[in-house]
Amino acid sequence: MTADSVYTEELVAHADDLPVRSRWSYRADEPFTIAVAFQTDEDVWVEWLFARDLLVNGLTGAAGIGDVRLRPRRTSGRTALQLEIESPEGHAVLDFDRESVQLFLEATIRIVPLGEESDYFDVDGLIDEITNV
């Protein structure tokens, strides 16, 4: 895969037993970040960004102390990944199929191996973006 690789997958979460569509994205040129967009209305998506390391840690134990928290949990005889997000506008707890999220993470690792993120990160581009505002 190249530095311009992008991987996107749609997953369905459950909040209070209601399905919630989500779109998980990973970009090689933003190697530290996972983007998850949630469909709130027919054409309205709300996007959250968080560290890929948070996802790595959240698949096996409780992770996160800020607006995004992850943890595995057993529910209805299966292991789910619980994603809790919080903002001044609201709070949501969503359950994802843990295996599906694990497969998404594995796809990101094929694009940018863990520990090699800095090799793909364009520091000069970030500095240009910050200083040319």
Coordinates of all heavy atoms in Angstrom, one line a residue, residues 45-89:
W45 N -24.1 13.0 8.8 CA -23.1 12.2 9.4 C -22.3 13.1 10.4 O -22.0 14.2 10.1 CB -22.1 11.6 8.4 CG -22.8 10.6 7.5 CD1 -23.5 10.8 6.4 CD2 -22.7 9.2 7.6 NE1 -24.0 9.7 5.8 CE2 -23.5 8.6 6.6 CE3 -22.1 8.3 8.5 CZ2 -23.6 7.3 6.4 CZ3 -22.2 7.0 8.4 CH2 -23.0 6.4 7.3
V46 N -22.0 12.5 11.6 CA -21.2 13.2 12.6 C -19.9 12.4 12.7 O -20.0 11.2 13.0 CB -22.0 13.3 13.9 CG1 -21.1 13.9 15.0 CG2 -23.3 14.1 13.8
E47 N -18.8 13.1 12.6 CA -17.5 12.4 12.6 C -16.7 12.6 13.9 O -16.7 13.7 14.4 CB -16.6 12.9 11.4 CG -15.3 12.1 11.3 CD -14.6 12.5 10.0 OE1 -14.1 13.6 10.0 OE2 -14.5 11.6 9.1
W48 N -16.1 11.6 14.4 CA -15.3 11.6 15.5 C -13.9 11.1 15.1 O -13.8 10.1 14.3 CB -15.8 10.7 16.6 CG -17.0 11.2 17.3 CD1 -18.3 11.3 16.9 CD2 -17.0 11.9 18.6 NE1 -19.1 11.9 17.8 CE2 -18.4 12.3 18.9 CE3 -16.0 12.1 19.6 CZ2 -18.7 12.9 20.0 CZ3 -16.4 12.7 20.7 CH2 -17.7 13.1 21.0
L49 N -12.9 11.7 15.6 CA -11.5 11.3 15.4 C -10.9 10.8 16.7 O -11.1 11.5 17.7 CB -10.7 12.5 14.8 CG -11.2 13.1 13.5 CD1 -10.3 14.3 13.2 CD2 -11.2 12.1 12.4
F50 N -10.1 9.8 16.6 CA -9.4 9.3 17.8 C -8.1 8.6 17.4 O -8.0 8.2 16.2 CB -10.2 8.5 18.8 CG -10.9 7.3 18.2 CD1 -10.3 6.1 18.3 CD2 -12.2 7.4 17.6 CE1 -10.9 4.9 17.7 CE2 -12.8 6.2 17.1 CZ -12.1 5.0 17.2
A51 N -7.2 8.4 18.3 CA -6.0 7.7 18.1 C -6.1 6.2 17.7 O -6.9 5.6 18.4 CB -5.0 7.9 19.2
R52 N -5.4 5.8 16.8 CA -5.4 4.3 16.5 C -5.0 3.5 17.7 O -5.5 2.4 17.9 CB -4.6 4.0 15.2 CG -4.6 2.6 14.8 CD -4.0 2.3 13.5 NE -2.6 2.4 13.5 CZ -1.8 1.9 12.5 NH1 -2.3 1.2 11.6 NH2 -0.5 2.1 12.6
D53 N -4.0 4.0 18.4 CA -3.6 3.4 19.6 C -4.7 3.1 20.6 O -4.7 2.2 21.4 CB -2.4 4.1 20.3 CG -1.1 4.0 19.6 OD1 -1.0 3.1 18.8 OD2 -0.2 4.7 20.0
L54 N -5.6 4.1 20.7 CA -6.8 3.9 21.6 C -7.6 2.7 21.1 O -8.0 1.9 22.0 CB -7.6 5.2 21.5 CG -8.9 5.2 22.4 CD1 -8.5 5.1 23.9 CD2 -9.7 6.5 22.1
L55 N -7.8 2.5 19.8 CA -8.5 1.4 19.3 C -7.7 0.1 19.6 O -8.3 -0.9 20.1 CB -8.7 1.5 17.8 CG -9.5 0.4 17.2 CD1 -10.9 0.2 17.8 CD2 -9.6 0.6 15.7
V56 N -6.4 0.1 19.4 CA -5.6 -1.1 19.7 C -5.8 -1.5 21.2 O -6.1 -2.7 21.5 CB -4.1 -0.8 19.4 CG1 -3.2 -1.9 20.0 CG2 -3.9 -0.6 18.0
N57 N -5.7 -0.5 22.1 CA -5.8 -0.8 23.5 C -7.2 -1.2 23.9 O -7.5 -2.0 24.8 CB -5.3 0.4 24.4 CG -3.8 0.6 24.2 OD1 -3.1 -0.4 24.0 ND2 -3.4 1.8 24.2
G58 N -8.2 -0.5 23.3 CA -9.6 -0.7 23.7 C -10.2 -2.1 23.3 O -11.2 -2.5 23.8
L59 N -9.5 -2.8 22.3 CA -10.0 -4.1 21.9 C -9.7 -5.1 23.0 O -10.4 -6.2 23.0 CB -9.4 -4.5 20.6 CG -10.0 -3.8 19.4 CD1 -9.1 -4.0 18.1 CD2 -11.4 -4.4 19.1
T60 N -8.8 -4.9 23.9 CA -8.4 -5.9 24.9 C -8.7 -5.4 26.3 O -8.6 -6.2 27.2 CB -6.9 -6.3 24.8 OG1 -6.1 -5.1 24.9 CG2 -6.7 -7.0 23.4
G61 N -8.9 -4.1 26.5 CA -9.2 -3.6 27.9 C -9.7 -2.2 27.8 O -9.8 -1.6 26.7
A62 N -10.1 -1.7 28.9 CA -10.6 -0.3 29.0 C -9.6 0.7 28.6 O -8.4 0.6 29.0 CB -11.1 0.0 30.4
A63 N -9.9 1.6 27.7 CA -9.0 2.6 27.2 C -9.7 3.9 27.0 O -10.9 4.0 26.6 CB -8.4 2.1 25.9
G64 N -9.0 5.0 27.2 CA -9.5 6.3 27.0 C -10.0 7.0 28.3 O -10.6 6.3 29.1
I65 N -9.6 8.2 28.4 CA -10.1 9.0 29.6 C -10.7 10.3 29.2 O -11.1 11.1 30.1 CB -8.9 9.3 30.6 CG1 -7.8 10.1 29.8 CG2 -8.3 8.0 31.2 CD1 -6.7 10.6 30.7
G66 N -10.9 10.5 27.9 CA -11.4 11.8 27.4 C -12.8 11.6 26.8 O -13.7 10.9 27.4
D67 N -13.0 12.2 25.7 CA -14.3 12.2 25.0 C -14.6 10.9 24.3 O -15.8 10.6 24.0 CB -14.4 13.3 23.9 CG -14.2 14.7 24.5 OD1 -14.5 14.9 25.7 OD2 -13.9 15.6 23.8
V68 N -13.6 10.0 24.1 CA -13.8 8.7 23.5 C -13.2 7.7 24.4 O -12.1 7.7 24.8 CB -13.1 8.7 22.1 CG1 -13.2 7.3 21.5 CG2 -13.6 9.8 21.2
R69 N -14.0 6.7 24.7 CA -13.6 5.6 25.6 C -14.0 4.3 25.0 O -15.1 4.2 24.4 CB -14.2 5.7 27.0 CG -13.6 7.0 27.7 CD -14.3 7.2 29.1 NE -15.7 7.5 29.1 CZ -16.2 8.8 28.7 NH1 -15.4 9.7 28.4 NH2 -17.5 9.0 28.8
L70 N -13.2 3.3 25.0 CA -13.5 2.0 24.5 C -13.2 0.9 25.5 O -12.3 1.0 26.3 CB -12.5 1.7 23.3 CG -12.7 2.6 22.1 CD1 -11.4 2.6 21.2 CD2 -13.9 2.3 21.3
R71 N -14.0 -0.2 25.3 CA -13.7 -1.4 26.2 C -14.5 -2.6 25.6 O -15.6 -2.4 25.1 CB -14.1 -1.1 27.6 CG -15.6 -1.0 27.9 CD -15.9 -0.7 29.4 NE -17.0 0.2 29.5 CZ -17.0 1.5 29.4 NH1 -16.0 2.1 29.1 NH2 -18.1 2.2 29.6
P72 N -13.9 -3.8 25.7 CA -14.6 -5.0 25.3 C -15.6 -5.3 26.4 O -15.4 -5.0 27.6 CB -13.5 -6.0 25.2 CG -12.4 -5.5 26.1 CD -12.5 -4.0 26.2
R73 N -16.7 -5.9 26.0 CA -17.6 -6.4 27.0 C -18.5 -7.6 26.4 O -18.7 -7.6 25.2 CB -18.5 -5.3 27.5 CG -19.6 -4.8 26.6 CD -20.4 -3.7 27.2 NE -21.7 -3.5 26.5 CZ -22.9 -4.0 26.9 NH1 -23.0 -4.6 28.0 NH2 -23.9 -3.8 26.2
R74 N -18.9 -8.5 27.3 CA -19.7 -9.6 26.9 C -21.2 -9.1 26.9 O -21.6 -8.5 27.8 CB -19.5 -10.8 27.8 CG -18.2 -11.4 27.9 CD -17.8 -12.2 26.7 NE -18.7 -13.4 26.6 CZ -18.7 -14.1 25.5 NH1 -18.1 -13.8 24.4 NH2 -19.5 -15.2 25.4
T75 N -21.9 -9.4 25.8 CA -23.3 -9.1 25.7 C -24.0 -10.1 24.9 O -23.5 -10.5 23.8 CB -23.5 -7.7 25.1 OG1 -24.9 -7.4 25.0 CG2 -22.8 -7.5 23.8
S76 N -25.0 -10.6 25.4 CA -25.8 -11.6 24.6 C -25.0 -12.8 24.1 O -25.1 -13.2 22.9 CB -26.6 -11.0 23.5 OG -27.4 -9.9 24.0
G77 N -24.0 -13.3 24.9 CA -23.2 -14.4 24.5 C -22.1 -14.1 23.5 O -21.5 -15.0 22.9
R78 N -21.9 -12.8 23.2 CA -20.8 -12.5 22.3 C -20.0 -11.4 22.9 O -20.4 -10.7 23.8 CB -21.4 -12.0 20.9 CG -22.2 -10.8 20.9 CD -22.7 -10.4 19.6 NE -23.5 -9.2 19.6 CZ -23.0 -8.0 19.6 NH1 -21.7 -7.8 19.4 NH2 -23.8 -6.9 19.6
T79 N -18.8 -11.2 22.3 CA -17.9 -10.1 22.8 C -18.2 -8.9 21.9 O -18.0 -9.0 20.7 CB -16.5 -10.5 22.8 OG1 -16.3 -11.6 23.6 CG2 -15.6 -9.4 23.3
A80 N -18.5 -7.8 22.5 CA -18.7 -6.5 21.8 C -17.6 -5.6 22.1 O -16.9 -5.7 23.2 CB -20.1 -5.9 22.2
L81 N -17.4 -4.6 21.3 CA -16.5 -3.5 21.6 C -17.5 -2.3 21.9 O -18.3 -1.9 21.1 CB -15.6 -3.1 20.5 CG -14.8 -1.9 20.8 CD1 -13.7 -2.1 21.9 CD2 -14.0 -1.4 19.5
Q82 N -17.4 -1.8 23.1 CA -18.3 -0.7 23.5 C -17.5 0.6 23.3 O -16.4 0.8 23.8 CB -18.7 -0.8 25.0 CG -19.7 0.2 25.4 CD -20.2 0.0 26.8 OE1 -19.4 0.3 27.8 NE2 -21.4 -0.6 26.9
L83 N -18.1 1.5 22.5 CA -17.5 2.8 22.2 C -18.4 3.8 22.9 O -19.6 3.9 22.7 CB -17.5 3.1 20.7 CG -17.2 4.5 20.3 CD1 -15.7 4.8 20.6 CD2 -17.3 4.6 18.7
E84 N -17.8 4.6 23.8 CA -18.6 5.7 24.5 C -18.0 7.0 24.0 O -16.8 7.2 24.1 CB -18.4 5.5 26.0 CG -19.2 6.4 26.8 CD -19.2 6.1 28.3 OE1 -18.5 5.1 28.7 OE2 -19.8 6.8 29.1
I85 N -18.9 7.9 23.5 CA -18.5 9.2 23.1 C -19.3 10.2 23.8 O -20.4 10.0 24.1 CB -18.6 9.3 21.6 CG1 -20.0 9.0 21.1 CG2 -17.5 8.5 20.8 CD1 -20.2 9.1 19.6
E86 N -18.6 11.4 24.1 CA -19.2 12.4 24.9 C -18.8 13.8 24.4 O -17.6 14.0 24.1 CB -18.8 12.2 26.3 CG -19.6 13.1 27.3 CD -19.4 12.6 28.7 OE1 -18.6 11.7 29.0 OE2 -20.0 13.3 29.6
S87 N -19.7 14.7 24.3 CA -19.4 16.1 23.9 C -20.4 17.0 24.7 O -21.4 16.5 25.3 CB -19.6 16.2 22.4 OG -21.0 16.3 22.0
P88 N -20.2 18.3 24.6 CA -21.2 19.2 25.2 C -22.6 19.0 24.6 O -23.6 19.3 25.3 CB -20.7 20.6 24.9 CG -19.2 20.4 24.7 CD -19.1 19.0 24.1
E89 N -22.7 18.5 23.4 CA -24.0 18.2 22.8 C -24.7 16.9 23.2 O -25.9 16.7 22.9 CB -23.9 18.3 21.2 CG -23.6 19.7 20.7 CD -22.1 20.0 20.8 OE1 -21.3 19.1 20.7 OE2 -21.8 21.2 21.1

